[in-house]
Amino acid sequence: MKKLASSLLAIISLITFTACTAPEALQTSVLSPDQSIKVEVFTSESGEFGYKVSKGDITVVDKSYISFDFKDMPALGSNLSIETIDITKSSEEWEMPWGEQRVVKNEYNQLYATLKEKADPGRTFNVVFKVYDDGLGFRYEFPAQDGMNEVVILDENTSFNLSGDHIVWWIPGDWDIYEHLYNNTNFSNINAIAKRDHPNLAQTTIPENAVNTPVTMKTEEGLYLSFHEANLTNYSGMTLKVDTVNLNMVSELVGSRDASKVKTQVPFNTPWRTIQIAERAGDLVESNLIVNLNEPNKLGDVSWFKPMKYMGIWWEMHMNKSSWDLASGKHGATTENAKRYIDFAAKNNIKGLLVEGWNTGWERWIGFPDREGVFDFVTPYEDYDIQEVVRYGKENGVDLIMHHETSAAPRTYDQQMDTAYQLMHSLDIHSVKTGYVGPIIPDGEYHHGQWMVNHYRRALETAAKYNIAINAHEPIKGTGIRRTYPNAISREGLRGQEFNAWSIEGGNPPNHLPNVVFTRMLAGPIDFTPGIFDIKFSKYKDKNQVNTTLAQQLALYVVLYSPIQMAADFPENYEGQPAFQFIREVGVDWEQSKVLDGEPGEFAVIAREERDTKSWFVGGISDESGMTYNLNLDFLEDGITYEASIYKDGEDAHWDDNPLSISIESSTFKKGDKLELVMAPGGGFAISLIPQK
Ligand code: NOJ
Ligand code: CA
C-alpha cells in the first residue's frame, strides 16, 4: 500500500486547564473540519466525565457519562478532574490496496483529554475524540502508572444517551453470531430477548436486551446514525444494552468463561466507540470513518492477493445435492467435480474455486460436543487429489481457495495453523475461507469475546506470514482492521445466501438486503455469495427459495462490496443463460463508489467505477414493494460514450410469482443521460457501462 501523504497539518491550540470546583467549569468542545459536528466534554458535580454530540442545532447524543468496573480495584468513573485538553487537526490521504475506492481521505479534529482521580488511588487515563465531517470516534487510553498493572475489566460503561425514540434497524446483541434478520422498530420497542434460540443457529447467546453493532437509527429530524466500534484489538466485542424507558444505551462487552470481560495490562487502549452521522442514509455507507480509525497497513506489499470472482463446491451441499462428508456416499469434493467447476470458471472469467468438504473430519462436524482434533487441515479425503486439482486449476487460470472449517474448536486450529498455511504456501494458494460453526470450545467462551478476538487476529497474523488472505465465516465483526491487515479480505457475519437454502422462514425476506446495506455493510466487506439463478430450486427443496428476482441477484455484485464475489450457483444453472454475461463482466475492485440513493430496508442504488478500466457498474435492489427509480447518469466521465447492457426485471417479474422474468437491453449512454427503471417486488437492476473503444 502506498501512502500518498501523511501530515499533521497544524497543532492549532494547546489548552491546559487546571482543576476547578465549579460544576462543568471545565467544559470545552471540538468541531469537525466542516464545523457541522460538535463534541463537548465536561465533568459533572460528582466528577464523572461526560460528553455530548450535536450536529448543527440538533442534539445527537445528549449528556452521557462513562465508567469502568474492575476486578480487585475500585471502579473508575467519579471524582475525576480534567487535567489537560489538547486540540489538534490532522489531514492525510491513504490508498487501499483493493476496496470500494482507491484513495481515502482521513481528515479530523482531535480532542485529547487527560483525566485524573482527585483522591486515592489517583489513577489517570485519557479520552481521545476524533471528530470527522461524517461522525466521530472516541477511545480510552490507559498509560503505564503506579498501582495499575494487570487489569481485569468487569464492565465498560460507555453510555449513549439518545435524544429521542429513534427508528432503529437492529439485530440482537448475540455473543456468538450475527446471523439474525434485521428488525425495524422504535428504540423503545427493541426486544432482543424475543430473538433467543433461533432453530437455525448452531450457536446463539443473547444474555439481555442489547443490540449488536453496527446499529443504524433515524431521528425525528431525519438524521441517520450508526453506532459501532473501530479497531477491536485485544478486547471484547461491544454490544449495546438498551434502556427502552430512558432511551439510553450502555456498552456491554461480551463475557468469558471466568465472567471477566477483558484481561489486559497497562498501557492499553480500548477500541474506538464510533458514531456516524449523516443526512442521507447513503452517506453512512460512503463513510470511511471506521477504516480511518485503524492503523495503517502493517503488511506492506500484499500484491500476492488479487480481488476475484469465484465459484464453489458449496451450494450443492446446502441444496443436499451432495455432502461435505465422505461416509454419506454423495461426497461433493471430488477431483472430478472440482475439474468440472474449473472448466466452467476458466471459460467465464472466474478466477477462483472454493472446495468445501475436501479434508477428513466432516463425519463429526455438527452436533458433537467433543470436536477437538476432529478436523485436520492437511489430509484430503481419498477421492480428492489436491495436488492434481491445483495443477489443473493453474493450467486453466483458476486458483484454489482453501477451506478450513474449525467447527468452533479454535485450539485445534491454533495448533495446526502453521502446518495448514505451509501446505497452502507450498501449493501456491493465497486465500482461505475459515468457519467457526458451533458453540466455542472451551465452554463459556464466545465468538465475540476477547479470547476469540485474539484468535481471529492470530489467524490473520499467521496467515500473513505465508502470504495468505482470510475470508472468515462465523467471524468477529469487521471494525476496519482490514486497513492494518489487508489480508482480512472479507467475512460473513450476517445472514447470508445459505439461509435461503434451509431457514425455517423459507429464506431471507426481500427486505433483508436493503437492510444489510445500511447496517452490516458499514462494518466492511461481505461474503454474501450472490448469483443464484435457479431461484426456486424446486428439484432440491420445496419449502425454500431465494426471495428475490434474477435481476436482483445480478445487482448484488455491485450493491454488496467484497473483493471476492462468489458466483454461487452450479455451472449447469449458468450454462446458456444470457444474464450470466453480467457476472462475467462485472468488476470486483473499485476506483470509486457512489451510493446514489436508498433507504434502510426499502431500496439501495449504488454505482462503482472499476479500477484501471473506467467502466462503471450500477446495481439497484428493492424490498417486497418494488419501485420505479429514475437513474441519473451524471457520475459518468464527460466526453466518453459508454456501451451499456441493462439487466432489469421483466414487466411481470415478482420475487415469488415470477422471479426469472428479466429483460436485457443494450444502449449507449453519456454523462447526464437519464433512465427510468422499474424494480419489481423483491427486484432490482444491474447495468454495465463500458467505455466505447
Ligand atoms: C457455515 C458457512 O457460513 C458456510 O458457508 C459453510 O458452507 C459451512 N459453514 C461449512 O463450513
Ligand atoms: Ca454461516
Side-chain angles (χ1 to χ4, degrees):
M1 188 192 309
K2 192 173 124 222
K3 206 165 179 186
L4 290 181
S6 174
S7 61
L8 194 66
L9 284 185
I11 294 179
I12 51 168
S13 63
L14 174 70
I15 312 159
T16 304
F17 295 91
T18 43
C20 171
T21 46
E24 300 183 11
L26 301 179
Q27 183 169 334
T28 190
S29 63
V30 62
L31 292 170
S32 57
D34 70 356
Q35 319 236 309
S36 68
I37 297 176
K38 182 176 176 187
V39 174
E40 297 162 66
V41 300
F42 46 84
T43 50
S44 70
E45 222 161 317
S46 59
E48 292 169 300
F49 176 81
Y51 73 98
K52 183 182 164 187
V53 181
S54 46
K55 182 168 168 84
D57 297 338
I58 302 169
T59 300
V60 174
V61 176
D62 216 335
K63 287 186 170 182
S64 299
Y65 295 90
I66 62 126
S67 69
F68 284 85
D69 296 320
F70 300 111
K71 192 173 167 207
D72 302 329
M73 239 200 305
L76 179 65
S78 58
N79 212 12
L80 297 167
S81 78
I82 300 176
E83 300 284 293
T84 64
I85 288 181
D86 294 347
I87 294 174
T88 54
K89 188 173 172 177
S90 179
S91 179
E92 62 162 353
E93 283 183 346
W94 57 279
E95 203 170 295
M96 290 184 149
W98 45 80
E100 301 94 321
Q101 67 266 294
R102 187 191 295 276
V103 178
V104 179
K105 188 172 165 198
N106 184 11
E107 186 178 23
Y108 59 87
N109 292 337
Q110 174 175 291
L111 182 151
Y112 194 102
T114 61
L115 307 181
K116 193 168 169 50
E117 282 177 306
K118 285 188 262 186
D120 281 349
R123 290 164 296 183
T124 172
F125 68 108
N126 312 315
V127 188
V128 188
F129 287 84
K130 289 188 178 181
V131 186
Y132 291 76
D133 292 345
D134 54 6
L136 61 130
F138 60 99
R139 75 173 179 192
Y140 313 105
E141 300 182 352
F142 286 82
Q145 57 193 287
D146 289 344
M148 239 200 198
N149 185 19
E150 307 284 319
V151 176
V152 177
I153 299 176
L154 298 178
D155 267 314
E156 175 199 317
N157 311 300
T158 298
S159 63
F160 303 87
N161 187 7
L162 301 178
S163 57
D165 191 10
H166 305 325
I167 298 167
V168 187
W169 290 267
W170 58 274
I171 53 172
D174 198 316
W175 287 9
D176 265 318
I177 201 153
Y178 308 108
E179 297 177 21
H180 289 272
L181 284 173
Y182 279 86
N183 301 279
N184 182 212
T185 67
N186 278 86
F187 187 84
S188 59
N189 290 326
I190 292 175
N191 181 359
I193 303 296
K195 306 296 165 188
R196 278 182 181 162
D197 300 322
H198 190 288
N200 290 130
L201 300 176
Q203 71 278 353
T204 171
T205 309
I206 305 174
E208 59 200 328
N209 197 15
V211 296
N212 250 313
T213 73
V215 57
T216 298
M217 304 188 187
K218 187 175 183 178
T219 73
E220 210 173 33
E221 300 86 1
L223 283 183
Y224 295 86
L225 312 178
S226 169
F227 296 82
H228 188 39
E229 60 183 313
N231 192 356
L232 172 54
T233 299
N234 192 23
Y235 210 81
S236 275
M238 177 181 76
T239 69
L240 293 168
K241 192 158 57 173
V242 302
D243 175 344
T244 52
V245 177
N246 297 307
L247 309 181
N248 189 37
M249 304 192 290
V250 182
S251 59
E252 175 74 324
L253 304 178
V254 172
S256 70
R257 71 192 112 143
D258 64 9
S260 71
K261 299 294 176 64
V262 175
K263 292 193 200 71
T264 185
Q265 57 188 53
V266 290
F268 73 93
N269 300 333
T270 68
W272 296 93
R273 279 61 188 95
T274 62
I275 308 169
Q276 281 156 272
I277 307 168
E279 274 157 19
R280 262 174 16 115
D283 291 343
L284 292 178
V285 183
E286 286 184 9
S287 164
N288 288 307
L289 183 93
I290 302 297
V291 274
N292 274 334
L293 287 168
N294 278 268
E295 305 294 322
N297 177 359
K298 272 193 184 164
L299 303 185
D301 177 22
V302 285
S303 57
W304 40 263
F305 171 78
K306 300 263 180 294
M308 63 178 158
K309 285 165 270 183
Y310 72 101
M311 297 188 81
I313 300 184
W314 174 78
W315 187 239
E316 50 180 87
M317 281 81 107
H318 290 274
M319 285 288 107
N320 294 337
K321 179 187 178 202
S322 68
S323 74
W324 285 275
D325 71 302
L326 185 66
S328 67
K330 49 175 194 175
H331 188 213
T334 66
T335 308
E336 195 193 352
N337 200 23
K339 287 187 174 180
R340 187 173 72 91
Y341 277 83
I342 289 170
D343 288 341
F344 180 85
K347 276 190 281 167
N348 290 286
N349 190 30
I350 292 177
K351 305 289 183 209
L353 176 68
L354 166 77
V355 180
E356 294 199 0
W358 69 276
N359 60 329
T360 58
W362 288 90
E363 284 76 12
R364 283 182 65 82
W365 170 36
I366 282 184
F368 299 91
D370 179 14
R371 286 167 276 118
E372 295 282 23
V374 168
F375 279 113
D376 82 50
F377 304 97
V378 292
T379 311
Y381 279 122
E382 64 204 35
D383 56 351
Y384 184 68
D385 182 343
I386 189 165
Q387 269 81 13
E388 173 57 13
V389 173
V390 168
R391 188 203 62 76
Y392 190 77
K394 286 253 174 273
E395 190 176 287
N396 288 282
V398 178
D399 285 333
L400 271 218
I401 298 174
M402 186 45 99
H403 185 238
H404 294 161
E405 173 56 64
T406 68
S407 67
R411 292 185 299 205
T412 293
Y413 193 44
D414 271 321
Q415 278 163 10
Q416 296 187 38
M417 255 178 212
D418 275 289
T419 336
Y421 298 155
Q422 259 155 23
L423 173 69
M424 290 176 59
H425 193 70
S426 72
L427 294 168
D428 200 24
I429 298 177
H430 290 285
S431 57
V432 58
K433 170 179 170 181
T434 56
Y436 294 83
V437 174
I440 297 290
I441 306 175
D443 207 21
E445 294 297 349
Y446 302 94
H447 282 72
H448 309 155
Q450 182 191 18
W451 194 76
M452 280 304 292
V453 166
N454 290 348
H455 168 85
Y456 292 115
R457 182 62 57 83
R458 206 156 45 241
L460 282 173
E461 286 172 348
T462 312
K465 287 197 270 172
Y466 297 93
N467 290 357
I468 289 167
I470 296 183
N471 163 27
H473 278 227
E474 299 77 41
I476 184 65
K477 61 188 161 183
T479 58
I481 290 298
R482 64 181 163 132
R483 180 178 179 194
T484 317
Y485 296 94
N487 67 329
I489 42 173
S490 196
R491 76 189 71 211
E492 190 187 42
L494 85 165
R495 215 173 127 119
Q497 181 87 275
E498 64 192 30
F499 276 76
N500 290 324
W502 37 252
S503 86
I504 49 156
E505 300 90 352
N508 301 325
N511 71 2
H512 180 55
L513 289 166
N515 276 324
V516 162
V517 169
F518 298 98
T519 52
R520 159 66 182 84
M521 203 160 84
L522 306 187
I526 298 179
D527 188 37
F528 180 77
T529 69
I532 297 302
F533 274 33
D534 180 13
I535 281 178
K536 294 266 186 192
F537 46 78
S538 19
K539 189 170 160 198
Y540 299 103
K541 306 263 179 131
D542 54 7
K543 296 202 173 58
N544 282 74
Q545 70 166 78
V546 178
N547 298 311
T548 79
T549 64
L550 180 57
Q552 181 176 122
Q553 286 296 303
L554 300 181
L556 298 179
Y557 289 84
V558 188
V559 169
L560 301 178
Y561 171 68
S562 174
I564 50 163
Q565 281 286 25
M566 192 175 206
D569 213 335
F570 311 152
E572 59 268 35
N573 290 339
Y574 292 140
E575 213 71 74
Q577 295 286 341
F580 191 70
Q581 179 57 21
F582 185 78
I583 298 182
R584 270 186 211 110
E585 219 165 52
V586 66
V588 278
D589 192 19
W590 310 107
E591 183 66 31
Q592 53 172 324
S593 293
K594 290 179 188 294
V595 183
L596 300 179
D597 206 349
E599 184 65 21
E602 293 179 18
F603 76 106
V605 181
I606 299 187
R608 303 193 195 266
E609 184 195 351
E610 190 178 22
R611 287 194 190 184
D612 304 325
T613 66
K614 290 189 184 290
S615 295
W616 280 87
F617 297 88
V618 191
I621 63 174
S622 108
D623 67 1
E624 64 288 343
S625 313
M627 68 179 288
T628 299
Y629 183 73
N630 292 302
L631 176 65
N632 184 342
L633 296 169
D634 56 0
F635 52 84
L636 294 176
E637 193 173 313
D638 215 3
I640 297 183
T641 303
Y642 295 83
E643 303 279 358
S645 302
I646 305 149
Y647 304 77
K648 55 184 186 182
D649 292 321
E651 269 173 32
D652 50 354
H654 181 281
W655 61 272
D656 192 17
D657 300 338
N658 204 358
L660 299 181
S661 171
I662 192 165
S663 128
I664 306 176
E665 291 165 13
S666 304
S667 189
T668 55
F669 289 114
K670 288 200 165 81
K671 180 182 171 71
D673 283 346
K674 295 188 173 55
L675 195 58
E676 189 186 91
L677 294 150
V678 180
M679 294 194 266
F685 63 86
I687 303 175
S688 60
L689 295 141
I690 317 287
Q692 212 168 43
K693 295 256 161 43

